[in-house]
Amino acid sequence: MSGGVEIPVRVSRVEQATATVKRFSLEAVSGEPLPLYSAGSHVVVTMAAPDRKIKNPYSLIDRAPDGSTYRIGVLRTRDSRGGSAFMHERVEVGTELSITMPVNLFPIVRTGRKHILVAGGIGVTPIYAMAEELRRQNLPFELHYAMRDAASGAFADELVARHGDKVRLYRDDAQEIIAVDRILWRQPLGTHLYVCGPEGMIDAILAGGREAGWPDENLHSERFMAHVSGEPFSVRLAKAGVTTEVRPDQSLLEAIEEAGVDAPYLCRGGACGQCETAVLEADGELMHHDHFLTEEEHASGKKIMTCVSRLKGRELVLDL
Amino acid sequence: MPIKSRPIYPGLKLDQRARRHLVAAEGEGALAVLAIFEGKGDAAASATIVYTPGGSAGEDHAEKLADLKPDALHVMPSQETAIVRLNGLLGNAAMGTRLYAAGVEGFIGKVIASGLEHGVDHQSIYTEHCGSLARRVQCVHCKGMTENVTATPFTCSHCGLNLFVRDHYSRRLAAFQGVVVDCETPGELPEIEELYR
Ligand code: FES
């Protein structure tokens, strides 16, 4: 299954949250309430660009109490290959898009006794939803949010207004950095940590957690990697009997979809494992960018995660 | 034939990154504890050990554990009192504390259940099975627990029904399930089988 049921939606509101982040409210075209979801969920948004379909995952910030809308936050990335630029430039109130059912690869652990939420930049979107859910359930938590400067903390004011001193803000321009060892110090047994943000930040926080003697079961992260563009190459889908080109601005998965082949995916960010595909032949070097396969699997050259990885070379033959 | 729902105990391993070690041991489980702290004075100094000798009361395991010079050693008269002490320690523990359990299955199960109650994921608990293979079984009819069940069917120590031991393990109760075998013709029992052959 490739994302499953799609829900046609219409943009009902656009907020310019900061210079680089827009928040979009989406309502079902059918007028029906959107499904309930658990905090940490994302949807994959399909955008109909003139020449192609772009599919990007975005975390859900919230759902209106009556289910009439979902909100997503989109950062305009400088090297954006299409998705976020499209959302920023072409999408306005009234634009129709389509979303998948919400999928949660970053859930709150129910048995946890306390929860530490850590966000960097746009990584705040799932964290925002998690804080709200923890507040509703009256569970102990703290939230640490790092942003570039005061103007780029799209969610900072709202978070502080809703959660008060549970929220700590860190501004890069004021040399405020999240001191992992201080945060992790003397947390009660059964505490869970969740981090979403830039790669480097996630790695540092997780490393700090392990260093502090936290078991892996209590450390959770979500990485939404910007698509990795690269050189063009051609891909042959052995079972489907189709050969197509992967353009530089396109992911392997998108090219497969454009060729009319329904390939599996969930996160489109190299994390969930759903898009794992067997490599039959590779005339060139596999450029792995996922966080799912082990190093040995990467080295074996037998598997590829189509959502983020690609080939540097001439032709890739997949078991699809 | 391996039993699917039967828990697996991979063995104790010292987690070098843990800031503190909280160790619960029963009977022969002491030997597993001695093995992992052997020559690791620093780790032992940050360990709290709760030990109940159980069937190994005649041995000098408790003295050997004391020789490790742990931060604290609590020698308790029974599994129940050991678990009460463990719960007190878990209640005050901080993250970075690793939980270890070694001994008979029923004891390990109770330690895991205590861990779960304090928000510790069962996968982050190190366990080692030592000593008897006896099971702890809950009668599904009267809910009474019978310890040290080594054969099936057996007689429930509470309601007296003849129970067949199902291979279904409840992590929360730390017990297997016992279901009546002779409800149609009371007294007519299948041949008694020893568990774990
Ligand atoms: S879709 Fe999740 S790893 Fe590719």
Side-chain angles (χ1 to χ4, degrees):
Chain A
M1 68 145 239
S2 49
V5 189
E6 296 263 322
I7 309 170
V9 293
R10 189 182 298 117
V11 175
S12 62
R13 185 163 170 230
V14 182
E15 307 158 70
Q16 184 80 46
T18 71
T20 51
V21 174
K22 279 188 179 177
R23 285 190 292 210
F24 299 87
S25 299
L26 311 173
E27 60 185 21
V29 171
S30 69
E32 278 171 39
L34 292 162
L36 280 165
Y37 66 87
S38 54
S41 297
H42 73 269
V43 293
V44 173
V45 177
T46 303
M47 300 156 239
D51 52 334
R52 64 197 174 111
K53 281 202 166 127
I54 307 172
K55 295 189 185 205
N56 271 11
Y58 294 108
S59 293
L60 292 168
I61 301 168
D62 55 17
R63 173 184 184 268
D66 61 359
S68 58
T69 54
Y70 282 162
R71 275 200 308 169
I72 56 172
V74 179
L75 169 70
R76 160 143 219 179
T77 45
R78 233 172 299 136
D79 52 355
S80 167
R81 196 195 39 87
S84 80
F86 185 88
M87 289 298 289
H88 272 257
E89 284 161 21
R90 316 290 283 266
V91 174
E92 50 192 35
V93 171
T95 304
E96 293 199 0
L97 301 162
S98 142
I99 59 173
T100 56
M101 288 288 283
V103 171
N104 200 346
L105 301 171
F106 194 41
I108 293 171
V109 177
R110 299 283 142 205
T111 53
R113 316 185 92 206
K114 180 175 175 188
H115 306 270
I116 298 181
L117 310 175
V118 182
I122 192 67
V124 72
T125 51
I127 297 293
Y128 188 98
M130 291 162 113
E132 202 52 37
E133 186 157 316
L134 292 166
R135 186 183 67 94
R136 259 201 311 271
Q137 297 184 10
N138 215 359
L139 293 170
F141 75 94
E142 46 188 80
L143 193 159
H144 302 264
Y145 175 27
M147 56 200 166
R148 195 168 305 148
D149 48 42
S152 68
F155 300 82
D157 296 345
E158 285 171 41
L159 284 172
V160 171
R162 301 191 77 85
H163 309 296
D165 59 8
K166 289 200 172 75
V167 178
R168 269 230 46 199
L169 303 174
Y170 304 80
R171 285 170 41 196
D172 294 352
D173 66 342
Q175 270 81 49
E176 295 167 341
I177 48 163
I178 298 184
V180 193
D181 47 347
R182 285 256 307 281
I183 297 178
L184 300 185
W185 183 243
R186 286 302 309 170
Q187 292 293 351
L189 200 63
T191 304
H192 285 259
L193 176 135
Y194 310 81
V195 55
C196 186
E199 288 285 300
M201 170 189 192
I202 292 180
D203 292 339
I205 300 277
L206 294 182
R210 295 199 189 97
E211 192 54 41
W214 287 44
D216 287 342
E217 288 78 20
N218 295 59
L219 299 169
H220 315 275
S221 63
E222 176 143 277
R223 305 168 190 261
F224 274 122
M225 306 202 326
H227 278 264
V228 188
S229 44
E231 291 158 36
F233 59 97
S234 86
V235 58
R236 180 151 63 83
L237 309 176
K239 285 198 210 126
V242 178
T243 302
T244 188
E245 284 297 308
V246 183
R247 296 189 305 264
D249 66 340
Q250 206 177 24
S251 70
L252 175 53
L253 178 57
E254 284 173 339
I256 295 169
E257 288 168 341
E258 206 174 274
V261 174
D262 198 23
Y265 73 84
L266 271 184
C267 71
R268 297 180 89 91
C272 74
Q274 193 72 20
C275 68
E276 179 180 317
T277 303
V279 172
L280 301 177
E281 274 169 56
D283 180 4
E285 192 192 340
L286 295 177
M287 308 300 284
H288 294 290
H289 299 295
D290 63 277
H291 288 277
F292 184 79
L293 298 174
T294 61
E295 266 172 50
E296 296 87 79
E297 285 173 315
H298 282 163
S300 79
K302 295 210 171 72
K303 292 172 181 175
I304 190 165
M305 310 307 290
T306 59
C307 64
V308 290
S309 302
R310 48 201 304 135
L311 181 82
K312 186 174 181 173
R314 198 185 58 83
E315 191 187 54
L316 180 66
V317 185
L318 296 178
D319 187 23
L320 269 179
Chain B
M1 198 178 58
I3 299 165
K4 276 224 196 79
S5 79
R6 186 172 177 95
I8 298 166
Y9 310 105
L12 290 197
K13 219 178 71 195
L14 186 68
D15 188 332
Q16 308 271 11
R17 273 195 291 230
R19 300 261 161 107
R20 295 203 58 83
H21 311 279
L22 184 48
V23 187
E26 182 274 350
E28 297 300 291
L31 300 175
V33 177
L34 290 168
I36 58 164
F37 286 105
E38 169 91 73
K40 302 264 167 49
D42 284 358
S46 57
T48 300
I49 302 175
V50 179
Y51 179 59
T52 180
S56 308
E59 326 256 339
D60 57 353
H61 294 339
E63 286 87 90
K64 292 208 185 104
L65 289 172
D67 290 344
L68 287 174
K69 303 215 176 6
D71 185 31
L73 170 65
H74 308 265
V75 180
M76 308 303 291
S78 64
Q79 289 193 20
E80 285 66 34
T81 49
I83 294 296
V84 170
R85 181 59 55 90
L86 179 69
N87 281 331
L89 293 164
L90 283 168
N92 288 316
M95 285 301 290
T97 301
R98 191 69 75 257
L99 182 57
Y100 304 79
V104 291
E105 186 164 48
F107 181 73
I108 296 178
K110 287 177 211 161
V111 173
I112 293 176
S114 295
L116 290 182
E117 235 169 80
H118 290 86
V120 181
D121 190 296
H122 71 94
Q123 292 182 74
S124 52
I125 303 173
Y126 291 99
T127 54
E128 183 156 333
H129 188 189
C130 307
S132 155
L133 290 168
R135 286 181 181 183
R136 167 174 146 98
V137 183
Q138 183 184 47
C139 171
V140 302
H141 311 286
C142 77
K143 304 291 175 200
M145 291 284 183
T146 304
E147 305 277 347
N148 291 318
V149 177
T150 54
T152 183
F154 74 102
T155 307
C156 173
S157 58
H158 301 265
C159 67
L161 285 174
N162 292 312
L163 303 179
F164 169 75
V165 180
R166 290 189 55 210
D167 282 334
H168 176 83
Y169 182 78
S170 158
R171 201 170 268 138
R172 191 175 54 83
L173 299 169
F176 286 86
Q177 246 179 22
V179 185
V180 73
V181 273
D182 54 350
C183 59
E184 300 197 340
T185 22
E188 207 170 282
L189 296 179
E191 212 179 303
I192 293 183
E193 266 177 75
E194 212 176 309
L195 290 163
Y196 313 124
R197 274 294 107 170

